[in-house]
Amino acid sequence: MTRRTLVAVLGGSATLLLVVVVGCVGAAIRAVDNDPGDTPECRESVRAEEAKVRTNRWAPPEELPDLGDYPEIHWQVRSLSGEPCGRAPGPVDWAYQGVVRLRPADARTLAQRYGFAPYAPAVPAPQSGSPADAWPALAPFLPAAPRWLHSRAYDEATPSTRWRTAFLDVEHRTLFFTLQDH
């Protein structure tokens, strides 16, 4: 075998080997990227669940303490971070918003117990936002002309497994809340 033939055979073999390696790496990346959990059906299901306005009682009740036997609640959940349809490691954090209609005595007791004070929209809202940031599907359940009160003591009351912000309108017996996984 001549030197020129040997160089051509080795060069061709090296090129073929490189193509095979690149092809295998590409296939591996596509296999990882094509997560079987991340399907259009899963993403559509998550969107439908996030759009749903729920009316079942909040559980566990200690996450929204001292609301009494409220007659009505409307709430939603949304993915805050992470990928609910993916198989990648790491938790999915969730955000919740809701509007609770309280009994008159419970609204007054809640305001007194936690020292709810007038909330001025010009003041920066707590970390998770204010009723002005209510998700569109929940906005119809908010009072038309509210007098919002806010209490840092209620937001920080224990025990809660989620980060909480709440606004209370005693006159309209309405509590707007946001909860976030921590």
Side-chain angles (χ1 to χ4, degrees), residues 54-129:
R54 293 163 171 80
T55 57
N56 52 308
R57 292 188 74 74
W58 188 263
E62 59 269 7
E63 289 184 347
L64 296 169
D66 299 320
L67 298 186
D69 188 23
Y70 53 87
E72 185 179 324
I73 185 171
H74 297 88
W75 60 276
Q76 289 185 290
V77 60
R78 292 199 178 157
S79 171
L80 196 58
S81 65
E83 178 52 56
C85 291
R87 298 184 117 200
V92 175
D93 290 328
W94 298 96
Y96 305 83
Q97 277 192 2
V99 180
V100 183
R101 172 75 75 185
L102 304 170
R103 293 182 309 169
D106 292 332
R108 288 189 301 272
T109 300
L110 187 66
Q112 292 169 355
R113 181 172 293 149
Y114 291 96
F116 275 84
Y119 171 71
V123 175
Q127 293 178 14
S128 67

Side-chain angles (χ1 to χ4, degrees), residues 98-102 107 110-111 115-121 126 129-134 138-151 165-177:
V99 180
V100 183
R101 172 75 75 185
L102 304 170
L110 187 66
F116 275 84
Y119 171 71
S130 70
D133 302 314
L138 295 174
F141 302 105
L142 295 173
R147 292 185 190 172
W148 293 116
L149 306 174
H150 179 256
S151 168
T165 302
F167 294 85
L168 175 66
D169 181 329
V170 176
E171 181 182 334
H172 293 101
R173 306 175 341 258
T174 303
L175 179 90
F176 170 81
F177 69 87

Side-chain angles (χ1 to χ4, degrees), residues 1-13:
M1 197 180 270
T2 66
R3 184 175 177 164
R4 183 172 265 170
T5 305
L6 183 61
V7 169
V9 168
L10 288 176
S13 298

